[in-house]
Amino acid sequence: MQYDYLIVGAGLYGAVFAHEMRRQGRRVLVIDRRTHIAGNIYTENVAEIQVHKYGAHIFHTSDRKIWEYVNCFAEFNHYINSPVAYYKGELYNLPFNMNTFNKMWGVVTPAQAREKIREQIEKLGIDEPRNLEEQALSLVGTDVYEKLVKGYTEKQWGRDCKELPAFIIKRLPLRFTYDNNYFNDRYQGIPVGGYTAMVEKMLQGIEVRTGISYKEFVREQQTEEGWQITDREGNSYRKVVYTGMPDEYFGYSLGHLEYRSLRFETEELPDCDNYQGNAVVNYTEREVPYTRIIEHKHFEFGSQKDTVITREYPAEWQEGDEPYYPVNNERNDSLFREYQKLARERSHMIFGGRLGQYKYYDMDKVIAAALEAVEKELSIV
């Protein structure tokens, strides 16, 4: 059988690309090495609660077209992301806002908060930050850094803030209003019934196979006429959309790109209807090994008699682990550009998504990138 596109990865990028190409009459096959669709936004029903299997995902965007697009596949609730930070028995609102500053210093006006931060920054006398710690201190002062930035950041990156380059933190948002909404975007919410149902609708009518590894399934051969892509069943493909790691695709021939991984511990708590009172609580102490606890029922304002929580542990990525975040520093970005040069030599390959583009994308940007790739493909076919 002749397909137009083999789409590797049934996450958001792959699902959008597949949906749009099917609408245009193209024949597509979607594969994923996981045993389920929806990638990292996969949700599963546990005790009648939609559990975010790979960490909290809140959809937010200021792009009206993208908001209208996702609403074609799901009804979104009015969930507003308002995480809380836990530090040694104290609770602070995030992002850093007047509620945070009032709890920390007792200040009540923006002018008082600004003055407190200015005094701390001035006392430090940091002119040219040499590392992430000095960069953060020069932006928010001592108290906010020590209680809400330092420990959490060190857990996320797996190393001391003094060992991390300053450019990782270009800015730390300080809001001088009593507003706990984490995002400034106009549109925000969570699909009622979970993300998996949304992606299922995107992939409706499309051939999808899970539990299949690209390298085991596909054979690429370069001939005088160009690249030939066939699978183990004898089907052929005109192009491949690849949403996995580019360094893995090229057999790590230029070296390994760095990623951060995550480990999740999910626990069902029978006869506990409300464990922490909020969907997301960040633990900013370095001594607490996890970065946050997610209580999933609060994403959909659940009233079930039980609850489900997940503790999230950052981890150094090793080959064979699940990669979650690209580590975008100078060394890795330079190496990725070298892999991009190799990719350009293979005109049958399209690399997309957070891993394929080695870039931290929010969900709305993933969708926009997939739609842009579709438009580009249709213009040259």
Side-chain angles (χ1 to χ4, degrees):
M1 189 175 294
Q2 173 73 48
Y3 290 86
D4 292 295
Y5 296 95
L6 172 64
I7 298 170
V8 184
L12 198 51
Y13 187 99
V16 169
F17 192 100
H19 176 83
E20 293 302 312
M21 283 305 183
R22 181 179 181 272
R23 284 181 61 229
Q24 296 295 325
R26 304 302 193 270
R27 189 172 187 88
V28 300
L29 172 65
V30 179
I31 65 171
D32 199 297
R33 66 181 174 188
R34 287 174 172 168
T35 57
H36 59 75
I37 64 168
N40 287 347
I41 63 172
Y42 173 71
T43 52
E44 64 179 1
N45 190 314
V46 178
E48 302 304 315
I49 296 167
Q50 288 297 321
V51 171
H52 294 219
K53 185 75 172 177
Y54 302 102
H57 287 84
I58 298 95
F59 193 90
H60 59 98
T61 187
S62 292
D63 189 325
R64 184 171 181 174
K65 289 182 179 179
I66 297 297
W67 180 244
E68 291 174 348
Y69 185 83
V70 293
N71 274 269
C72 293
F73 306 100
E75 175 189 355
F76 279 74
N77 66 20
H78 58 283
Y79 177 81
I80 299 297
N81 189 31
S82 303
V84 173
Y86 178 100
Y87 178 81
K88 296 185 177 180
E90 300 172 350
L91 293 174
Y92 295 94
N93 291 108
L94 297 175
F96 315 136
N97 65 65
M98 285 303 300
N99 289 310
T100 318
F101 307 144
N102 174 263
K103 176 68 179 288
M104 193 168 288
W105 303 311
V107 299
V108 295
T109 69
Q112 291 172 331
R114 289 180 190 275
E115 178 61 19
K116 190 74 175 178
I117 293 168
R118 186 198 65 77
E119 286 176 358
Q120 291 191 2
I121 292 174
E122 194 172 271
K123 190 179 295 184
L124 292 166
I126 300 171
D127 295 323
E128 295 185 13
R130 296 167 296 176
N131 52 53
L132 186 147
E133 177 164 287
E134 292 186 356
Q135 174 77 347
L137 285 168
S138 70
L139 292 170
V140 298
T142 308
D143 292 343
V144 173
Y145 171 72
E146 289 291 340
K147 291 188 174 185
L148 304 180
V149 177
K150 178 178 170 62
Y152 192 89
T153 303
E154 290 181 345
K155 286 188 287 188
Q156 283 282 67
W157 290 91
R159 47 187 59 86
D160 192 285
C161 284
K162 294 187 183 71
E163 300 172 7
L164 293 166
F167 69 77
I168 288 177
I169 294 183
K170 294 182 172 63
R171 58 186 292 272
L172 285 170
L174 297 171
R175 293 187 190 167
F176 297 94
T177 59
Y178 289 91
D179 182 5
N180 296 325
N181 185 352
Y182 196 83
F183 302 119
N184 287 318
D185 290 309
R186 182 177 180 183
Y187 308 106
Q188 184 176 167
I190 299 227
V192 177
Y195 285 100
T196 302
M198 182 183 82
V199 176
E200 278 178 352
K201 195 166 182 181
M202 289 179 175
L203 294 171
Q204 194 170 358
I206 294 170
E207 188 178 355
V208 180
R209 303 188 195 183
T210 57
I212 294 178
S213 164
Y214 176 74
K215 289 295 185 183
E216 294 173 359
F217 185 66
V218 173
R219 180 183 177 216
E220 296 179 53
Q221 186 175 10
Q222 192 171 19
T223 68
E224 292 181 0
E225 291 78 27
W227 285 90
Q228 289 185 348
I229 308 105
T230 56
D231 65 27
R232 62 193 180 195
E233 298 169 3
N235 303 308
S236 62
Y237 305 87
R238 190 172 57 81
K239 284 195 172 183
V240 175
V241 177
Y242 192 85
T243 65
M245 300 184 296
D247 52 338
E248 181 184 49
Y249 170 81
F250 287 107
Y252 306 104
S253 57
L254 303 178
H256 284 71
L257 291 166
E258 291 179 288
Y259 305 86
R260 290 294 289 168
S261 191
L262 295 170
R263 179 172 62 85
F264 302 97
E265 288 183 357
T266 297
E267 185 179 359
E268 187 177 345
L269 303 176
D271 299 320
C272 175
D273 68 337
N274 192 353
Y275 177 78
Q276 63 185 15
N278 205 49
V280 180
V281 176
N282 290 358
Y283 285 77
T284 59
E285 297 172 55
R286 184 67 182 88
E287 294 72 24
V288 177
Y290 43 85
T291 51
R292 58 183 179 177
I293 296 179
I294 301 162
E295 188 170 7
H296 302 270
K297 68 188 301 179
H298 295 307
F299 289 130
E300 295 195 64
F301 315 103
S303 58
Q304 299 90 339
K305 67 180 181 67
D306 303 333
T307 195
V308 179
I309 63 170
T310 298
R311 293 177 179 86
E312 190 171 305
Y313 298 80
E316 199 77 39
W317 179 84
Q318 303 290 335
E319 194 172 332
D321 293 343
E322 199 66 50
Y324 287 93
Y325 303 105
V327 180
N328 290 120
N329 57 28
E330 292 175 355
R331 179 261 177 195
N332 288 314
D333 290 346
S334 175
L335 179 57
F336 174 64
R337 287 192 291 271
E338 295 303 310
Y339 276 117
Q340 282 183 306
K341 291 177 183 177
L342 293 182
R344 284 193 286 270
E345 296 173 3
R346 303 195 178 197
S347 58
H348 64 291
M349 295 296 299
I350 299 169
F351 289 86
R354 181 183 287 186
L355 295 179
Q357 286 294 311
Y358 199 70
K359 182 177 182 180
Y360 185 89
Y361 277 118
D362 287 326
M363 286 182 281
D364 62 327
K365 301 300 189 297
V366 170
I367 292 170
L371 293 173
E372 184 180 339
V374 169
E375 187 176 340
K376 182 179 178 181
E377 275 297 292
L378 294 175
S379 70
I380 61 177
V381 174

